[in-house]
Amino acid sequence: MQPQSWPEPDPQVAAAIRAMYRGRREAPLAVQVRDRLGELFPDAAFADAFGQVGRPGWSPGRLALVTVLQKAANLTDRQAADEVRENLAWKYALGLNLEDPGFDHSVLSEFRSRVVAHGLEERVLDLLLERLQTLDLVQAGGSQRTDSTHIVAVVRDLNRLELVGESVRAALNALAAACPDWVDQVLVVEEWSRRYADRIDNWRLSASKTKQHELAVQYATDGYTLLQAVYAPASPGWLRELPAVQTLRCVLVQNYIRTPDRAGRLRIRQRERAEDGGDGLPPAPIRLASPYDTDTRWSAKRDLFWNGFKLHVSETCHPQADGDRPAGPNLITNVTTTCSTLPDSKALDTIHQSLHRRHLLPARHYLDSGYPSADLIVSSAKDYGIALVTPVLLDTSPQAKAQQGFAAHDFTIDWDRKRAVCPAGKISATWNDVVQDGVAKTVVAFAALDCIPCPTKEQCTSSRKGRRLSLYPRELTEAIRTARAQQQDGTWQRDYALRAGVEGSIRQATHTTGLRRARYRGLAKTHLDHTTSATALNLIRLNAWWNGHPLDRTNHSHLARLQLRLAA
């Protein structure tokens, strides 16, 4: 690949575009992007993913634009390749002439694989945001908001029994493709084909628990037999390095235990949950859910249970008075794709690091209650200068829950003199710095001689001894107390209502680009799909802003419009 500047739009194509969209008709998105942003994705930005010798290929910068336009229209690879050949607006944006045949649709898949292999998943979003920064459409500071949503994996949902059987089948197919002669010599192909030729979930499992258990042991026996043959000294060493073989090993270890009996024979039994008296299954973050996508995980959130990933979307947000035109379009500044089992609070620092790399850190960051912690509130302000606008979890002590008696916030903490004063005026007896569950805390205890005769003891503690307080370090305790006090104020609650708009952005993303279900296997390619979709959504929003369209895309029925008119 030799980086070159994009050619100017072909005169014939440009003349046809001007004729078709003369007057009040708005030009399509692709035309407006080329006219207003020019060469948005230069070839040089993708040079690391391509060699400088060999057969010439298609311009990677223009392939990046095709991928973004593809997401904006929610097209398949074949449909996108057809648009390049047939759509004059796309030819105009790419600088192609009327006779240009375009490319085969498989080029798009190869392009994505190269981008992922060289760690360029975020390049298109970075390039767009850099251009918008030069146009003063997005800047550091101001306000941003973030929320997460679930992403369903592209692979089939399998229960534990189907997972093991499908893992054996996947390993067999990989071995048969890689070294068919070895499979023919070592295995009885006809016998194995009888059980594993078709997908495991193609037939209905028996309702009998006994038969299901027998089938589970049979799958495990076949799996161990296959691995024993692969790891035999006479077998080629490279066979054991096949990904499907390694996945089978992991699935068997996670779901079965082999123990010797009195005769020395290995007995296979399934792992059961520790709470059910079993040996325990691996924790959810490392438990495989499919042999065809080892990055996807089962996860649950309230009443939602899904197999896939989690997406965090961050966008700018502008406070807007009623009837006023917004100061600018709300633009997506970052998307982070994580394992579905990762808590939102664990993703926040990664989000801030990405925004810092793009020089787009906000001054105020609006989040829901799943993101903050006392440590994050303090570290975000100290490391990035970001004020987190988010409801923190309330005090969970029995007194706070009952809303009667003395909770921890009713005690005065004198950090300098290392003591606490209770509401009755008694001073703490001990002050100890400890580590609880790996977290540094301070345990403050009051003397039993002060607490037992106290007339307000029943409102304070049910302990036979004195009251005890478990405090985070000073900075964290003061931050969490301040946040809890602020969120009780009506002004804070009205300001926090700005966060709700990000849910509409997630709805637009899932509706316009089909983000709810992943298109590709693996976390890296799924993240590339998300960054491309975010870039496409930004272009759609910019197009609406350029043409003066309202950014509110809420669809109202005729009855709803009548109700709004009557209410006005």
Side-chain angles (χ1 to χ4, degrees), residues 63 66-68 70-71 74-78 80 105-113 116 121 151-156 292-296 307-309 337 513-533:
L63 285 175
V66 170
T67 305
V68 172
Q70 173 189 3
K71 294 301 298 183
N74 199 12
L75 304 176
T76 64
D77 287 353
R78 193 180 297 274
H105 69 277
S106 61
V107 172
L108 291 173
S109 177
E110 296 172 1
F111 172 71
R112 290 191 298 268
S113 297
V116 169
E121 297 94 339
I151 304 297
V152 180
V154 71
V155 294
R156 300 186 303 275
Y292 304 110
D293 188 347
T294 55
D295 291 334
T296 183
N307 177 25
F309 309 95
T337 310
T513 64
L515 275 186
R516 179 64 67 213
R517 179 172 291 276
R519 288 194 178 194
Y520 315 111
R521 297 175 183 174
L523 183 63
K525 274 198 173 182
T526 302
H527 182 52
L528 171 62
D529 186 44
H530 293 165
T531 56
T532 307
S533 299

Side-chain angles (χ1 to χ4, degrees), residues 406-407 410-412 421-426 460:
F406 301 128
D410 295 317
F411 288 71
T412 302
V421 180
C422 75
K426 301 297 183 180
C460 187

Side-chain angles (χ1 to χ4, degrees), residues 363-434:
R364 295 168 63 81
H365 199 173
Y366 292 77
L367 305 162
D368 66 17
S369 60
Y371 286 94
S373 66
D375 184 48
L376 285 173
I377 292 174
V378 173
S379 62
S380 297
K382 181 184 298 184
D383 299 338
Y384 302 106
I386 300 175
L388 300 186
V389 184
T390 171
V392 297
L393 296 179
L394 299 178
D395 191 351
T396 57
S397 65
Q399 297 88 345
K401 286 183 178 179
Q403 295 185 351
Q404 58 184 2
F406 301 128
H409 60 264
D410 295 317
F411 288 71
T412 302
I413 310 299
D414 188 345
W415 296 95
D416 296 328
R417 302 173 68 178
K418 293 187 176 181
R419 67 180 190 178
V421 180
C422 75
K426 301 297 183 180
I427 299 175
S428 59
T430 61
W431 178 287
N432 296 315
D433 295 326
V434 300

Side-chain angles (χ1 to χ4, degrees), residues 38-55:
E39 184 180 346
L40 184 55
F41 307 123
D43 290 346
F46 300 90
D48 295 342
F50 295 84
Q52 297 182 354
V53 296
R55 182 169 57 89

